[in-house]
Amino acid sequence: MSASVEPSVLSRIGLSLWTMQSTARAPAHPVELYRRLARDAAVVESYGFHSLWTGEHRGWYDGWCPAPIHALSHAAAGTTRLRFGTAMLLLPQHDGASVTAAARTFDALYAGRLELGVSVGYRDAEFDAVGVRRDQRGRRMDPALAELFAGGVPASRVWIGGMADAALARAARFGCGILLPQTVRTRRLRQIIDMHRDAGGGPVGITKDVHVAEDATEFRRALRAHFREEIGSWWTLRGQQGFQRPGELATQLDRVDDSAIAGPAGQVADLLGELLVEGVDFLLLRLCYDFLAPQQLHEQIARVAEEVAPLLESGGSAG
Amino acid sequence: MRFVLDPPDPSTVDDLVREAHHAAGLGFDAMLCRATPTLPASLVTAAAVLARVPVLRVVAEIPLGDQHPLLAAEEAAVVDVAGAGRLILLIRPAPGVEERFLEAATLLRTALRARPFRFTGEHWTVPANLPTNNDHEDRYRMMPAPYQPRMEIWCAGVDASVALDHGFGHLADTGTPAEVLADSSTDPLRLDLARARHDPWHGEPDPLVDRLRAGRSQFGQDWSVVRADAEGMARIAGSVRPRIQLDRLPEGLADGWADGWADRSRQDQA
């Protein structure tokens, strides 16, 4: 199962996004979902990837994991080297002292293997559940970050999620990395990287939806259905919930589709390689979705490690 | 009587897991995880222990009243699901905000009930329905639900009567006078609630057996939290627990039990 050669490019690739969702389209037992996270972590480590990442949302019907560091603490127990990340921990919804304690505990248990991705969050219902004003989310970020750093969490392992000017400025101000979303366009990517470097920010990472397949039609169909649920339920499009704006919803799904990298290994390698040429330091590849069966996910992990990574390493595609 | 190991302060997670494995191997029911300067988030620690020790329950002690209780509930639920229902949550008033504890505990348990709810309290309201937030909901549902049908929650740092009156199990700290814990109530709901106590262990089984018999008689003690090393655990497993499970053993049955387990303990350490 393990790759016989471990290209160095794998040290710049993390895999995501384990959410432990039991969705209507892909129901699963919650205990089994957390067991899969642990099993998948061992698989990801065996191939030599940099890291495995989970996310955070709360109060959703499918059990989207609301406590990512706690979930990762369970999963990391079967690993020795793999790093674990949060993409993203919704910092303004938390008490800074609690997040600091959780991060420090994880690092003490697992020899500093936490990559703490944080962002401001966006769902009103989540803010309201914990009694926080959504319009103050930005103002809550800086004090919370300061508390993290004062508590011993190094800025070098904190990633600010987002691409808004405020997020970029925050990352530069604190010397953190920036973790960009899937839909950043290439021209904007170069601008961001240049600004971030000039301002003294940390590494630049980018999330991408990725799938290796000779025919990615079925994947793209499933990806649209997956994000339709999320965008339709959670996003406000032109003042209304996404499902109430079918035209705008379709536009957003087109953006997701367009930004996804799905196709044969050579094509995937070429597109990921372009990101590295543009100056991206870290690739966070989303391979894990509720609609992929465990065996399908493991196949994707293997294909990225054994087919895509060598092509990235050599700087060429298969043809 | 069920037994919870209170391990000597571990310096590494491997130490903690080693203690947990040893306890599980000897039939201890649970291990206590509390905050330490090195490991300040006991639920994060609990998640790690539950992952590596498949049969043991973990009693995770958390302060309650400082962070939003809904967040504490979520963390506990995730750890319980990951651990397949083996978490016991031990809540203690957070220092400096003790007056919030009972409201926090009530909100925590409400959230862990796995159904939509509305909670209105002096310190917290869920959902808050803040005017500046959109998409107001009447009720909130915490997800995921704990794997246990009903999360086992104990209180410490409050009077037993307060804990029991609010429907929580109770853990008495070492040295709590028996008369404070004495409870003659026959309320079946109260009898369902855990009555635990930190019990001192000085290496000799007889005093602990006597203390546990008295505890069971005086306040219905059914859990004992003991701090013990490997040999101590073996003596408790081999010479205390067998003698306390029934009210009375046939005369002569317990003769020689202590020697046998001492031998086993020496073999395990060899």
Side-chain angles (χ1 to χ4, degrees):
Chain A
M1 182 172 72
S2 300
S4 56
V5 174
E6 193 170 305
S8 61
V9 73
L10 284 175
S11 66
R12 299 169 66 186
I13 298 177
L15 301 184
S16 68
L17 185 68
W18 276 259
T19 59
M20 285 62 77
Q21 294 171 267
S22 175
T23 60
R25 292 174 194 276
H29 195 287
V31 171
E32 176 59 22
L33 288 169
Y34 283 82
R35 286 183 179 162
R36 281 186 206 167
L37 171 63
R39 285 197 296 265
D40 294 345
V43 170
V44 172
E45 178 173 86
S46 75
Y47 281 103
F49 286 98
H50 173 272
S51 47
L52 177 149
W53 297 64
T54 184
E56 175 187 345
H57 277 293
R58 54 185 31 84
W60 196 232
Y61 85 89
D62 58 15
W64 235 108
C65 180
I69 297 178
H70 296 71
L72 292 177
S73 183
H74 189 266
T79 66
T80 56
R81 183 190 53 79
L82 185 70
R83 303 188 66 77
F84 290 85
T86 59
M88 316 301 296
L89 186 144
L90 307 178
L91 192 56
Q93 295 178 20
H94 289 272
D95 166 65
S98 298
V99 176
T100 303
R104 282 185 47 221
T105 301
F106 187 98
D107 273 344
L109 290 169
Y110 297 114
R113 290 193 272 143
L114 183 66
E115 302 284 334
L116 194 60
V118 296
S119 69
V120 291
Y122 63 91
R123 285 187 66 210
D124 279 73
E126 294 181 359
F127 286 93
D128 207 60
V130 292
V132 172
R133 288 175 53 165
R134 183 187 184 280
D135 63 355
Q136 293 189 348
R137 57 187 182 152
R139 267 169 280 182
R140 289 173 66 92
M141 278 289 277
D142 281 14
L145 285 166
E147 189 159 9
L148 279 175
F149 303 144
V153 178
S156 60
R157 286 196 280 110
V158 174
W159 300 77
I160 306 297
M163 62 180 176
D165 289 346
L168 301 175
R170 181 171 290 119
R173 187 160 61 248
F174 288 103
C176 301
I178 186 86
L179 197 51
L180 301 169
Q182 299 94 311
T183 51
V184 171
R185 298 191 191 282
T186 305
R187 187 176 58 202
R188 172 79 173 133
L189 180 61
R190 170 50 71 186
Q191 288 174 348
I192 288 170
I193 292 174
D194 289 344
M195 280 168 42
H196 188 65
R197 299 245 191 277
D198 290 346
V204 175
I206 188 167
T207 297
K208 278 296 179 184
D209 296 307
V210 168
H211 192 78
V212 184
E214 279 53 53
D215 181 354
T217 306
E218 177 55 29
F219 168 77
R220 290 186 179 279
R221 186 204 63 75
L223 187 71
R224 289 182 74 100
H226 171 88
F227 279 105
R228 180 182 179 276
E229 195 165 298
E230 195 170 296
I231 297 173
S233 300
W234 294 353
W235 289 31
T236 300
L237 302 174
R238 291 182 60 191
Q240 288 187 289
Q241 185 195 41
F243 284 127
Q244 312 311 314
R245 289 285 189 185
E248 284 79 2
L249 177 56
T251 299
Q252 293 299 329
L253 293 176
D254 289 342
R255 289 186 65 196
V256 168
D257 199 351
D258 290 344
S259 65
I261 297 178
Q267 178 183 329
V268 170
D270 283 347
L271 292 170
L272 292 178
E274 288 177 8
L275 298 173
L276 297 178
V277 166
E278 288 293 330
V280 168
D281 300 298
F282 178 71
L283 299 172
L284 184 56
L285 307 185
R286 181 166 187 178
L287 302 184
C288 182
Y289 304 87
D290 61 317
F291 57 79
L292 280 190
Q295 183 55 38
Q296 292 175 307
L297 173 60
H298 289 184
E299 285 171 8
Q300 287 298 306
I301 294 169
R303 294 198 71 175
V304 170
E306 295 176 339
E307 298 176 44
V308 175
L311 291 173
L312 279 175
E313 193 75 33
S314 66
S317 68
Chain B
M1 189 68 63
R2 302 200 226 198
F3 290 84
V4 181
L5 173 68
D6 180 5
D9 287 338
S11 52
T12 68
V13 65
D14 287 338
D15 290 343
L16 196 60
V17 170
R18 188 177 313 114
E19 296 286 329
H21 272 299
H22 199 71
L26 288 168
F28 273 67
D29 299 273
M31 187 173 83
L32 179 64
C33 277
R34 38 159 126 243
T36 69
T38 312
L39 303 172
S42 56
L43 279 170
V44 175
T45 307
V49 173
L50 287 167
R52 292 177 62 175
V53 190
V55 299
L56 197 67
R57 288 189 184 87
V58 170
V59 180
E61 180 179 297
I62 64 168
L64 198 63
D66 43 9
Q67 76 163 337
H68 198 294
L70 180 61
L71 296 173
E74 289 174 341
E75 293 168 4
V78 165
V79 173
D80 190 63
V81 173
R86 290 180 289 134
L87 179 68
I88 295 173
L89 193 59
L90 174 61
I91 56 177
R92 188 183 284 274
V97 287
E98 289 85 353
E99 76 281 2
R100 299 184 182 183
F101 177 71
L102 284 176
E103 182 181 329
T106 305
L107 172 52
L108 174 89
R109 183 176 54 203
T110 303
L112 287 167
R113 276 202 187 116
R115 62 185 72 156
F117 70 92
R118 178 162 196 83
F119 183 91
T120 303
E122 180 184 348
H123 302 289
W124 298 283
T125 297
V126 182
N129 290 162
L130 299 176
T132 50
N133 290 341
N134 296 319
D135 300 331
H136 286 175
E137 299 285 349
D138 291 335
R139 299 195 297 178
Y140 182 78
R141 165 70 198 272
M142 190 210 72
M143 290 288 284
Y147 190 51
Q148 301 170 57
R150 185 185 164 115
M151 177 71 91
E152 182 75 15
I153 306 173
W154 300 352
C155 288
V158 298
D159 288 346
S161 57
V162 171
L164 299 173
D165 286 345
H166 286 81
F168 297 106
H170 182 255
L171 171 62
D173 292 325
T174 307
T176 306
E179 53 269 25
V180 171
L181 299 171
D183 182 9
S184 58
S185 169
T186 57
D187 180 349
L189 292 179
R190 273 202 169 195
L191 292 176
D192 275 349
L193 300 171
R195 301 301 306 273
R197 181 169 64 174
H198 276 276
D199 290 302
W201 167 249
H202 302 300
E204 290 303 318
D206 288 353
L208 182 55
V209 171
D210 292 342
R211 180 179 167 89
L212 293 177
R213 287 197 192 285
R216 187 161 59 197
S217 170
Q218 290 164 346
F219 66 93
Q221 182 180 1
D222 54 358
W223 291 81
S224 175
V225 180
V226 287
R227 174 165 286 216
D229 59 12
E231 182 171 346
M233 279 193 251
R235 300 202 81 184
I236 290 168
S239 189
V240 174
R241 190 175 62 205
R243 288 197 281 158
I244 192 61
Q245 301 303 37
L246 303 180
D247 279 341
R248 189 176 61 83
L249 295 177
E251 194 171 327
L253 175 61
D255 295 348
W257 276 358
D259 291 341
W261 279 100
D263 288 342
R264 161 92 180 259
S265 174
R266 280 194 289 273
Q267 287 171 20
D268 286 347
Q269 293 182 20

